[in-house]
Amino acid sequence: MNDLFQNHAAKSGPIECFGQTFPSDEARREHYLKLLAEKLKDPAFRKIEGFPIGSDEDILALSDPPYYTACPNPFLEDFVRQYGKSYDSSLPYSKEPFTADVSEGKNDPIYNAHSYHTKVPHKAIMRYILHYTQPGDLVFDGFCGTGMTGIAAQLCGDRSAVSALGYRVEPDGTILSLERDNDRDVWKKFSRLGQRHAILNDLSPAATFIAYNYNTPKNIVDFEFRVKDLLSEVEAECGWMYETMHTDGRSKGRINYTIWSDIFACPQCAGEIVFWDAAINKDTGQVRDAFSCPHCSSELTKRGLERAWATKMDHSINQQIRQVKQVPVLINYSVGTKRYEKSPDASDISLIQKIDATEISVWVPSDRMMDGGETRRNDPIGVTHVHHFYTRRNLITLATFLEKIRPGENHLKQFLYGSLRILSKQAKHNKERRTENSGLGWVNAGVTGTLYISSCPAEQNVLFFLKKRISKYFIPSFGSRGNIIFTGSTNQLTLPPNSIDYLFFDPPFGSNLNYSELNFLSEAWLALFTNVKQEAIEDKGKGKTLSDYRRLMTECFREAFRVLKPGRWMTVEFSNTQASVWNAIQIALQEAGFVVANVSALDKKQGSFKAVTTTTAVKQDLVISAYKPNGGLEDRFSKTGGSEESAWDFTRTHLHYLPVVKLRSGDLEFIAERDPRIIFDRMVAWFVGHNSPVPMSTHEFQAGLAQRFVERDGMIFLPDQVTEYDKKRMQVAIAPQMEMFVSDERSAIDWLTDFLKRRPSTYQEVHTDFISQLGAGWKKHESKPELAALLEDNFIQYDGTGEVPSQIHSYLSTNHKDLRGLEKNNPALVTKAKDRWYVPDPNKAQDLEKKREKALLKEFDHYRAFTGRRLKEFRLEALRAGFRFAWGNKDYQTIIDIAAKVPEAALQEDEKLLTLYDLALTRTEADA
């Protein structure tokens, strides 16, 4: 077990904890449990956002304070005082985001020790932590899930673990990464070896319990001994329930698993149909599309069947219940080392009847499944309470094991809880042939990301499964008590301001997954539940809209912004292809005060069920790199207000945080954040977020960029950055190109700008290429503009009078040999240049912009006068212009009124409209 890590014996004798000395670790725990118990009596403490649902006793039973609390952690400030460092702007921290695309698989004993709905491999997180932090820094993960960030923070101090990432660790602890420079491999300083300290939080008690066990070192030998001892005790009490008679009639076998089948009724003859016998292809394990009734031979499908029902008394809830009728249909068992399969015989049926009549003398969770689409999905088959998800013998065995675990033995609870899914009725039989299984089938944990129970569930032998799991189970035996974990909402933290060095967030994304519902079963066994009020998801069943999701995420990001040190970074792992959810995250980041500097890919190498079957979940996640501007920028902005100098001050600061070079497979990549249009958008968001009018138009800004900074390949650089870019540019043959996706009028103008800069063209020349861009990606409610109108409103056409414009002259003389060296008024050159459209210089562009803005606002007035319920088609550019104009005049109500006329999807999918609408709502509420 745990070949990756050396076993560390549990430390005995006096220990230090936050400046205090205790005679033993148990004494430390008892001391802090008393403090926590006192704190739980404080009504104000229980009112902290996200406080879990459960009793004081259950919170204390799970907690291991001060390092882990199953509620908000009152010892956070002590932890920060112990490990934190005061903010020092002079310290050398990275000014650039980590831009390399990360690909880390899940085939790792740490990752696989406990399944979870989604999680980022700790090896991927290590790369980010090493880039953004120094040894001893504080890292905060507000949506920690199973605590991979905590493991990553600890392993940044493990030489072998860092080396396994492909880095080289020098004897003095310097970490070097391999980079390509001048066509040769060069090892360059990347970071320093040393543990970082993680602060981990999640709304779910199940998640933080897993995170605690992942991040708390234990003695492996002691753990194995204790588990085996417990299993022996449980087997002495429950082993008889997993015995079966071999087909020879003489030998007893051990049941490995039992397959059960739902019973249906034929709609034609009402005869009972065992689904396994009639509908399952035994060679493939798949459900047949059509099958015959064994009684009347009618051709049937599963959809056309009626269920057969059984009524019985449920003593756990003292109610008569009605559930789908089931029977065992196949038993996989072992005699010695050999495996067999058989149909249940009379003695097997008698055993099941005996088990059903056995009284359960230990506590079992019997909570009603919470309201929700996932948690109530099994109500139609009578699986309405937690204990219904388990067969009676598995329920008895699991509860017996749990009852024998002593207080404080949380790793033993974790060992059991990590198996709850595959030991429930969610488990399925898999007919995949495997030589190591003697050609017989095996059992998997069912459909991930759901609480689905099939019509043929597989019941595993709890004792046999847990015995097998011991050798594969990961027990942390590395690191020290350098992390702290708590349960609560990230929108209300008790962390001091400017105390955290780096943030890594992998939050929920829209309606991808409902974590509280998926965690309900395991939390029932913990007797502590998620406080769903603060759960940042989109859920129609709970009345949570995308706007609610965005609001909750904004609150969380604001708290993250508050606790992060100025000039430091946050990484947000994003997993959703919906534009509306992407906008929600970006707007939440901007409203909180963060500035996005880069977006890269994170390939987790394995799709979940929804990732491979729906269009609203992605197989490749995105990683957002955002920073908290340094305090100097904020101070200067507060003094100068919304002046033009403030705009250039922001731009200079922002350019410092952007990557200078991005390489992919040896080729230079276009850095989208250095595109002048994106820089302008970031500047606008900064001013809007500070409730200040934007001091210049886009064309005025573009003209100022050209005067103050350096342009290369369509990207803007600071003078001291461009040397590095030029050096890399000389090493590649092809200049990087920005990928353009035309989906609305604005992106169509941007595409034309790029096209005409490279190739001033006539209408006929540009028309074919332009039409090809107006494909399936066009936004639903956006009216498609005419090419002629776009050219007329945004570009200039040379009419043949006067000298040929420099832009056209340069293009023609470069691409036509017969036109080289000619004066700009040469008749041949004039003839060739006539009627070509080109991009105007900044001064003329400003005149065009004013003319266009006037026309857009006139169209916006038509939308204002519209009396219907919803606008079916409109120009986004007109809406954006109108929203900007209203915002500048502090006419927030107009923005709200017009937004009500725009289809919800169109509003949610446009970042610029949504940002101003969201802020208008905020300002209106503040004024009320």
Side-chain angles (χ1 to χ4, degrees):
M1 179 186 291
N2 298 342
D3 293 336
L4 289 177
F5 303 102
Q6 178 184 0
N7 182 33
H8 295 277
K11 186 176 180 180
S12 59
I15 65 163
E16 291 284 332
C17 179
F18 297 171
Q20 296 186 70
T21 302
F22 297 93
S24 66
D25 200 44
E26 184 59 31
R28 179 272 310 164
R29 184 172 181 271
E30 288 300 320
H31 171 78
Y32 279 100
L33 276 174
K34 289 179 182 178
L35 294 178
L36 181 60
E38 285 299 315
K39 193 70 177 176
L40 287 169
K41 296 175 183 177
D42 181 0
F45 182 63
R46 277 191 161 272
K47 289 181 180 179
I48 293 176
E49 297 282 12
F51 202 97
I53 309 300
S55 68
D56 290 3
E57 291 74 17
D58 291 320
I59 290 172
L60 293 170
L62 287 182
S63 298
D64 183 16
Y67 302 109
Y68 163 58
T69 58
C71 63
N73 196 319
F75 313 108
L76 281 179
E77 290 194 25
D78 295 334
F79 182 85
V80 172
R81 277 195 294 270
Q82 174 79 14
Y83 294 109
K85 295 172 283 189
S86 60
Y87 170 62
D88 184 350
S89 60
S90 66
L91 290 177
Y93 282 84
S94 174
K95 274 292 188 76
E96 285 192 26
F98 185 71
T99 60
D101 288 346
V102 175
S103 179
E104 293 291 349
K106 299 179 177 181
N107 188 23
D108 184 278
I110 300 177
Y111 189 94
N112 293 320
H114 196 296
S115 62
Y116 200 65
H117 326 298
T118 61
K119 57 181 174 180
V120 181
H122 70 277
K123 292 180 181 178
I125 304 173
M126 282 179 69
R127 298 180 186 275
Y128 296 111
I129 294 177
L130 287 169
H131 176 79
Y132 289 115
T133 67
Q134 297 293 330
D137 278 357
L138 295 185
V139 176
F140 175 59
D141 186 342
F143 302 87
C144 72
T146 58
M148 294 295 105
T149 299
I151 289 176
Q154 292 193 64
L155 290 182
C156 285
D158 187 295
R159 185 177 294 269
S160 61
V162 173
S163 298
L165 298 178
Y167 301 126
R168 193 168 82 190
V169 185
E170 298 291 274
D172 66 352
T174 301
I175 301 173
L176 307 176
S177 65
L178 189 62
E179 298 181 17
R180 197 76 176 160
D181 192 8
N182 286 325
D183 295 325
R184 63 190 181 93
D185 291 335
V186 178
W187 289 96
K188 294 187 176 181
K189 183 176 180 180
F190 176 65
S191 185
R192 289 198 61 79
L193 186 70
Q195 178 181 347
R196 281 67 166 167
H197 302 289
I199 300 173
L200 307 176
N201 174 52
D202 201 280
L203 195 65
S204 164
T208 57
F209 184 71
I210 300 169
Y212 159 72
N213 284 287
Y214 259 137
N215 283 275
T216 305
K218 291 291 181 183
N219 183 285
I220 297 171
V221 176
D222 288 350
F223 170 82
E224 287 191 21
F225 178 82
R226 181 73 176 120
V227 170
K228 289 176 180 178
D229 186 49
L230 269 183
L231 285 173
S232 295
E233 291 183 37
V234 177
E235 187 163 23
E237 296 181 33
C238 304
W240 62 273
M241 293 190 289
Y242 299 98
E243 292 178 350
T244 188
M245 188 61 69
H246 188 27
T247 51
D248 64 5
R250 298 186 304 275
S251 310
K252 272 191 176 181
R254 180 204 65 229
I255 295 174
N256 299 318
Y257 61 84
T258 301
I259 298 176
W260 293 72
S261 175
D262 286 353
I263 304 296
F264 290 88
C266 174
Q268 304 302 322
C269 69
E272 287 195 345
I273 299 171
V274 179
F275 192 72
W276 171 266
D277 294 337
I280 302 296
N281 183 321
K282 303 305 184 297
D283 292 328
T284 65
Q286 301 299 310
V287 178
R288 294 188 176 96
D289 293 333
F291 46 89
S292 299
C293 172
H295 307 291
C296 67
S297 300
S298 297
E299 186 169 290
L300 305 170
T301 62
K302 184 178 182 180
R303 188 181 294 273
L305 294 175
E306 298 172 358
R307 295 190 179 277
W309 296 92
T311 303
K312 60 182 179 180
M313 184 64 186
D314 185 339
H315 294 285
S316 294
I317 55 176
N318 293 318
Q319 291 179 13
Q320 197 86 358
I321 62 169
R322 181 171 176 264
Q323 291 183 326
V324 166
K325 192 174 180 181
Q326 285 188 330
V327 293
V329 291
L330 182 143
I331 296 176
N332 180 293
Y333 66 101
S334 295
V335 178
T337 59
K338 194 168 182 181
R339 295 176 70 209
Y340 303 90
E341 286 185 349
K342 70 170 187 175
S343 297
D345 54 31
S347 64
D348 295 314
I349 302 301
S350 176
L351 176 66
I352 289 171
Q353 291 172 345
K354 180 181 177 182
I355 294 168
D356 286 343
T358 299
E359 182 180 346
I360 302 178
S361 59
V362 292
W363 175 85
V364 298
S366 57
D367 303 85
R368 178 67 168 96
M369 298 301 290
M370 68 185 288
D371 286 332
E374 200 59 54
T375 39
R376 294 292 176 93
R377 73 176 300 159
N378 296 302
D379 277 18
I381 61 174
V383 178
T384 57
H385 291 67
V386 172
H387 60 293
H388 295 161
F389 277 78
Y390 304 87
T391 61
R392 191 167 183 83
R393 65 180 152 200
N394 277 9
L395 186 67
I396 293 171
T397 308
L398 287 168
T400 301
F401 188 100
L402 180 63
E403 191 259 346
K404 293 180 181 297
I405 296 175
R406 301 167 188 153
E409 291 186 325
N410 279 344
H411 268 298
L412 295 179
K413 289 183 181 179
Q414 174 67 18
F415 175 72
L416 183 68
Y417 292 159
S419 308
L420 287 175
R421 181 181 180 85
I422 200 168
L423 295 175
S424 75
K425 293 180 182 179
Q426 297 173 82
K428 293 178 64 180
H429 178 251
N430 193 314
K431 193 60 181 176
E432 178 183 326
R433 299 289 178 180
R434 289 192 164 189
T435 55
E436 66 266 31
N437 285 342
S438 306
L440 304 179
W442 56 293
V443 175
N444 63 35
V447 183
T448 59
T450 75
L451 296 179
Y452 171 75
I453 296 176
S454 77
S455 291
C456 296
E459 175 199 24
Q460 293 237 56
N461 178 333
V462 171
L463 298 168
F464 178 57
F465 179 81
L466 293 180
K467 284 179 182 177
K468 289 193 302 179
R469 192 165 189 248
I470 294 174
S471 61
K472 299 177 182 178
Y473 186 65
F474 173 80
I475 291 293
S477 58
F478 57 88
S480 61
R481 293 282 200 167
N483 295 341
I484 193 167
I485 303 160
F486 63 104
T487 312
S489 176
T490 297
N491 71 347
Q492 187 177 353
L493 301 172
T494 56
L495 288 166
N498 302 327
S499 59
I500 303 299
D501 297 290
Y502 171 61
L503 305 168
F504 183 91
F505 280 14
D506 179 17
F509 291 102
S511 57
N512 267 15
L513 290 169
N514 190 313
Y515 290 86
S516 60
E517 293 186 30
L518 296 174
N519 286 333
F520 191 83
L521 289 179
S522 55
E523 291 183 350
W525 285 90
L526 294 173
L528 202 60
F529 296 94
T530 298
N531 186 332
V532 298
K533 180 182 177 183
Q534 297 304 321
E535 188 176 21
I537 58 170
E538 181 185 3
D539 186 342
K540 291 181 180 178
K542 295 184 179 67
K544 288 190 173 184
T545 65
L546 188 59
S547 295
D548 294 320
Y549 167 75
R550 188 174 65 252
R551 176 184 56 79
L552 284 166
M553 286 308 306
T554 301
E555 291 175 5
C556 292
F557 285 148
R558 279 188 178 133
E559 273 293 85
F561 187 87
R562 181 184 67 82
V563 303
L564 184 65
K565 292 176 181 176
R568 305 296 166 81
W569 291 86
M570 173 167 68
T571 299
V572 180
E573 192 269 345
F574 177 84
S575 176
N576 191 301
T577 58
Q578 291 183 324
S580 56
V581 179
W582 172 250
N583 286 335
I585 286 294
Q586 289 208 96
I587 290 168
L589 284 168
Q590 290 171 4
E591 288 192 20
F594 287 103
V595 183
V596 173
N598 187 67
V599 179
S600 294
L602 172 65
D603 181 6
K604 291 192 284 194
K605 288 193 173 178
Q606 182 177 332
S608 69
F609 175 74
K610 293 188 177 182
V612 297
T613 60
T614 74
T615 58
T616 58
V618 297
K619 297 177 185 177
Q620 191 175 53
D621 297 345
L622 298 177
V623 177
I624 307 167
S625 298
Y627 63 89
K628 176 178 179 177
N630 62 50
L633 177 65
E634 288 281 2
D635 292 341
R636 292 191 298 273
F637 188 88
S638 64
K639 293 175 182 177
T640 59
S643 66
E644 287 192 18
E645 182 48 44
S646 294
W648 299 122
D649 188 16
F650 168 82
T651 304
R652 278 189 295 269
T653 303
H654 183 54
L655 289 173
H656 269 296
Y657 283 94
L658 300 184
V660 176
V661 174
K662 287 181 75 172
L663 291 171
R664 186 189 295 245
S665 301
D667 294 327
L668 270 181
E669 193 173 276
F670 188 90
I671 303 170
E673 289 294 333
R674 289 191 177 275
D675 183 296
R677 291 161 293 203
I678 303 297
I679 297 171
F680 178 74
D681 288 343
R682 297 295 181 217
M683 184 272 292
V684 169
W686 170 260
F687 274 77
V688 169
H690 284 72
N691 198 26
S692 181
V694 180
M696 63 187 78
S697 69
T698 179
H699 287 290
E700 289 170 334
F701 184 77
Q702 307 306 333
L705 280 179
Q707 295 169 5
R708 291 169 172 81
F709 306 104
V710 184
E711 186 271 338
R712 290 288 189 276
D713 298 325
M715 297 176 286
I716 302 299
F717 295 89
L718 294 168
D720 59 353
Q721 294 174 328
V722 79
T723 303
E724 180 184 348
Y725 179 80
D726 287 342
K727 182 180 177 182
K728 288 290 184 183
R729 178 67 182 84
M730 292 173 63
Q731 299 173 23
V732 298
I734 303 174
Q737 297 290 326
M738 184 179 186
E739 294 184 52
M740 296 289 293
F741 299 98
V742 177
S743 59
D744 57 15
E745 182 178 340
R746 179 69 262 166
S747 55
I749 295 169
D750 290 343
W751 182 88
L752 283 169
T753 300
D754 286 352
F755 183 94
L756 294 175
K757 273 184 179 179
R758 297 192 310 271
R759 180 183 162 192
S761 304
T762 63
Y763 176 90
Q764 290 76 16
E765 289 172 340
V766 75
H767 182 266
T768 302
D769 283 21
F770 178 75
I771 293 301
S772 69
Q773 296 294 318
L774 306 182
W778 193 262
K779 291 181 178 178
K780 181 179 178 182
H781 299 281
E782 169 82 324
S783 55
K784 287 188 178 180
E786 294 291 334
L787 174 59
L790 289 178
L791 292 172
E792 182 68 32
D793 291 344
N794 300 280
F795 305 96
I796 296 178
Q797 186 181 37
Y798 176 56
D799 60 5
T801 60
E803 292 186 343
V804 174
S806 298
Q807 193 180 137
I808 301 177
H809 176 259
S810 176
Y811 169 72
L812 292 177
S813 61
T814 301
N815 291 275
H816 297 270
K817 292 182 179 179
D818 57 326
L819 299 179
R820 290 177 185 170
L822 300 181
E823 296 294 329
K824 291 183 178 180
N825 57 2
N826 184 282
L829 185 65
V830 170
T831 300
K832 193 69 175 177
K834 190 174 183 298
D835 295 331
R836 290 183 181 272
W837 292 92
Y838 64 98
V839 179
D841 64 41
N843 292 327
K844 290 183 179 178
Q846 289 177 43
D847 293 337
L848 283 174
E849 183 183 19
K850 290 175 183 176
K851 173 186 170 185
R852 182 170 178 272
E853 188 85 359
K854 187 176 180 181
L856 290 172
L857 290 175
K858 187 175 181 180
E859 189 152 351
F860 182 75
D861 286 337
H862 291 311
Y863 302 154
R864 195 199 301 258
F866 176 73
T867 57
R869 184 171 177 271
R870 294 278 188 186
L871 292 163
K872 291 184 178 179
E873 194 172 83
F874 43 79
R875 289 175 68 187
L876 276 174
E877 282 296 277
L879 286 174
R880 290 167 180 165
F883 275 32
R884 288 193 302 268
F885 184 78
W887 173 265
N889 291 328
K890 297 186 178 181
D891 183 6
Y892 307 131
Q893 194 58 48
T894 290
I895 296 174
I896 295 170
D897 292 342
I898 299 297
K901 301 178 183 181
V902 177
E904 179 70 16
L907 181 66
Q908 296 288 352
E909 291 177 7
D910 191 87
E911 179 192 350
K912 294 179 176 64
L913 292 181
L914 191 58
T915 298
L916 292 173
Y917 169 69
D918 210 39
L919 290 170
L921 281 177
T922 303
R923 300 292 184 267
T924 304
E925 291 169 359
D927 294 340

